Amino acid sequence: MKRSKVMVMLTAIMLAVTGMAGCSSKEEAGEAKKSPAVSTAPTTEALAPVKLKWVLRIPNQKDGEAVLTEVNKVLKEKINATLDIQFIEAAAFAEKTKLMIAAGEEFDLMFTAANYQFYENVAKGAFLPLDDLVKKHAPKAYGQIPENFWKATQINNKMYGFPNYQIAARQTVVAFRKDMVEKYGIDVKSIKKLEDMEPALAKMKAGESSDKFIMSGTNVIMMDYMNYMNLETLGGEGTPGAIDNNATDYKVINQYEHPSFINYVKTLKSWADKGYLNKDLALVKNVEELSKTGKIMAMMGNYKPGGEAEFKSRFGFDPVYAFLTDPLVSTSSVTGTMQAISRTSKNPERAMMFLELINTDKQLYNTLVYGIEGKHYKKTGDNTVELIPDSGYTTNVAWMLGNQLNAYLLPGVAADIPQKTDELNKSAKASRIMGFSFDTEPVKSESAQCKTIVDKYKDGFANGMFDVDSTLATMNKELKAAGMDKIIAEKQKQLDAWVAINKK
């Protein structure tokens, strides 16, 4: 009887403490609506040893094994696991992972994104639903990410992607080399649309040597460029079917017939004719390395607070930005960088425990991002680092490896950048269809065929290599024959159902 009373008292105390912890967590979240923590992982003693394989879109690192040795010391201690990373060059990633999945190759985790076959792979059954796994085995990481981000990863009300929390507010910019801005007196604040860039491009073309590329980074299907056109693709990037964000209805259209798309590719064509774009750049496999040689004068991309230091590390020059759009958060911007757990994984629970660690254990995450302290980077403060040149480990992709707000700050990055990033994510305008995800399963064959067709033409359009009117007519004719109308009808059907529930 006495023991029973003690147990009751202990239970009451534990419940009180749990309640207090819940209140504290809620207060720390402030106005941000965070996902609730749900459970805790088993103790290490109860876990059998396993080896996890992680497939990443990162070039092979000379000191990759040395870094993995340090990472595995932590993983062994905390979740009784060891990690193997398969590094794959960016240019080969889509095709190589496609073959791996088709062959049923065993792996546990894979970087994925809307423009890296996320929707296609979910439709193929390549990835596991994460709902139960994440709530049970990654409660802390789950609670750090806003709820609507998780909704963005859902297909048929099931989550298939684990967001790498980072800048999700997408703001399309042109990054000019700072030395070019100063040399030619470029007023970046006056540039609000592509046409405004013409005088700056003309000055650089006239003043620089012929072996330099004036513009790089143009595209025709990726999210940041579609944002510039005020178009939002439903489902995988490039597949027909988008909405016009300037409209008030929810009509799904063929974006490749929309006036803003036609104007965009015609602008690129005119740039190519004037020598601002060079088709040879389409053949370059590693634009980052080319940029570091000083051969690229400007490029389009996405802005993020404090991104200048990372940009310089990646592309080799100090950027000065011209802002072309306001910040927008959408399903696509959240699904722009995620991890997925493979259907072939023999240890999905442990894979999720690993995701919990890399999103909450700051030291582990930064080891994956920067390598070994003293060998690949040196600390310059409690939360700041400086990379050691030619160290043998330079991923340059903190955004691909976990919660980027946990990354040590590079030189020139202000201490409040993580906070500003979080604030920008929460203050940016949300897409009209935030949380809608297209299930490609009913039209997966047509989607695959149409994506192949778009892939055939996209680089030519991006580099101004085609006559726009005739080539667009040919591409749209091929898309129609491949089932474009069926895809658009299915997208409209699913979107109408979503609107009926979410826009009452």
Side-chain angles (χ1 to χ4, degrees), residues 39-42 132-139 348-349 352-353 356:
S39 181
T40 56
D132 294 336
L133 286 168
V134 73
K135 293 174 184 178
K136 185 175 181 180
H137 299 295
E349 295 85 2
M352 183 57 71
M353 292 179 202
E356 168 84 329

Side-chain angles (χ1 to χ4, degrees), residues 142-405:
Y142 178 73
Q144 289 176 346
I145 298 174
E147 279 191 77
N148 61 349
F149 280 41
W150 291 106
K151 290 178 182 177
T153 75
Q154 291 181 347
I155 299 174
N156 283 336
N157 297 316
K158 292 183 178 180
M159 301 184 306
Y160 287 91
F162 192 114
N164 295 311
Y165 190 55
Q166 42 104 46
I167 184 66
R170 310 297 294 194
Q171 193 166 14
T172 307
V173 297
V174 178
F176 289 92
R177 291 183 65 97
K178 184 179 180 181
D179 55 352
M180 293 294 103
V181 170
E182 294 171 348
K183 181 177 180 179
Y184 295 107
I186 300 171
D187 179 12
V188 294
K189 291 183 179 179
S190 69
I191 298 174
K192 305 296 182 183
K193 57 184 185 296
L194 293 185
E195 290 79 1
D196 296 338
M197 291 175 57
E198 294 266 357
L201 299 179
K203 287 179 181 178
M204 291 189 290
K205 175 63 179 175
E208 298 301 312
S209 59
S210 60
D211 64 334
K212 291 185 178 179
F213 298 89
I214 305 304
M215 270 296 297
S216 166
T218 51
N219 204 293
V220 295
I221 66 169
M222 285 180 65
M223 172 177 42
D224 296 324
Y225 310 98
M226 299 303 288
N227 281 352
Y228 172 74
M229 296 176 249
N230 287 306
L231 297 171
E232 184 172 345
T233 305
L234 282 64
E237 291 182 342
T239 58
I243 64 167
D244 182 344
N245 274 328
N246 283 331
T248 56
D249 60 18
Y250 293 92
K251 181 177 176 58
V252 181
I253 60 171
N254 171 19
Q255 64 267 40
Y256 304 119
E257 295 176 319
H258 194 276
S260 62
F261 181 86
I262 296 171
N263 180 67
Y264 178 67
V265 293
K266 283 189 173 181
T267 299
L268 299 182
K269 170 62 175 169
S270 73
W271 284 2
D273 291 343
K274 295 169 185 175
Y276 308 150
L277 291 177
N278 188 326
K279 65 181 180 181
D280 290 341
L281 200 55
L283 305 175
V284 175
K285 292 186 176 181
N286 196 327
V287 175
E288 297 174 10
E289 290 304 314
L290 179 66
S291 180
K292 287 177 180 178
T293 67
K295 292 292 183 67
I296 295 176
M297 304 296 98
M299 59 179 62
M300 289 181 70
N302 174 60
Y303 170 76
K304 63 181 179 181
E308 291 86 352
E310 182 181 320
F311 190 100
K312 183 175 183 179
S313 173
R314 186 176 179 187
F315 294 105
F317 66 85
D318 290 305
V320 179
Y321 297 118
F323 293 86
L324 303 182
T325 68
D326 292 327
L328 176 76
V329 175
S330 66
T331 299
S332 295
S333 67
V334 174
T335 57
T337 172
M338 301 179 290
Q339 307 297 337
I341 295 180
S342 172
R343 177 74 64 177
T344 61
S345 173
K346 292 182 178 179
N347 299 286
E349 295 85 2
R350 207 72 59 88
M352 183 57 71
M353 292 179 202
F354 169 71
L355 292 178
E356 168 84 329
L357 283 178
I358 63 170
N359 282 276
T360 59
D361 186 315
K362 189 164 183 170
Q363 181 60 46
L364 176 65
Y365 168 75
N366 279 287
T367 301
L368 283 163
V369 172
Y370 295 121
I372 301 168
E373 183 178 357
K375 185 174 184 180
H376 305 114
Y377 71 93
K378 56 184 178 182
K379 293 288 290 288
T380 55
D382 290 340
N383 197 44
T384 57
V385 297
E386 186 176 288
L387 301 184
I388 296 174
D390 303 317
S391 69
Y393 191 86
T394 311
T395 64
N396 290 326
V397 286
W399 52 268
M400 192 190 297
L401 299 171
N403 185 337
Q404 192 174 3
L405 304 193

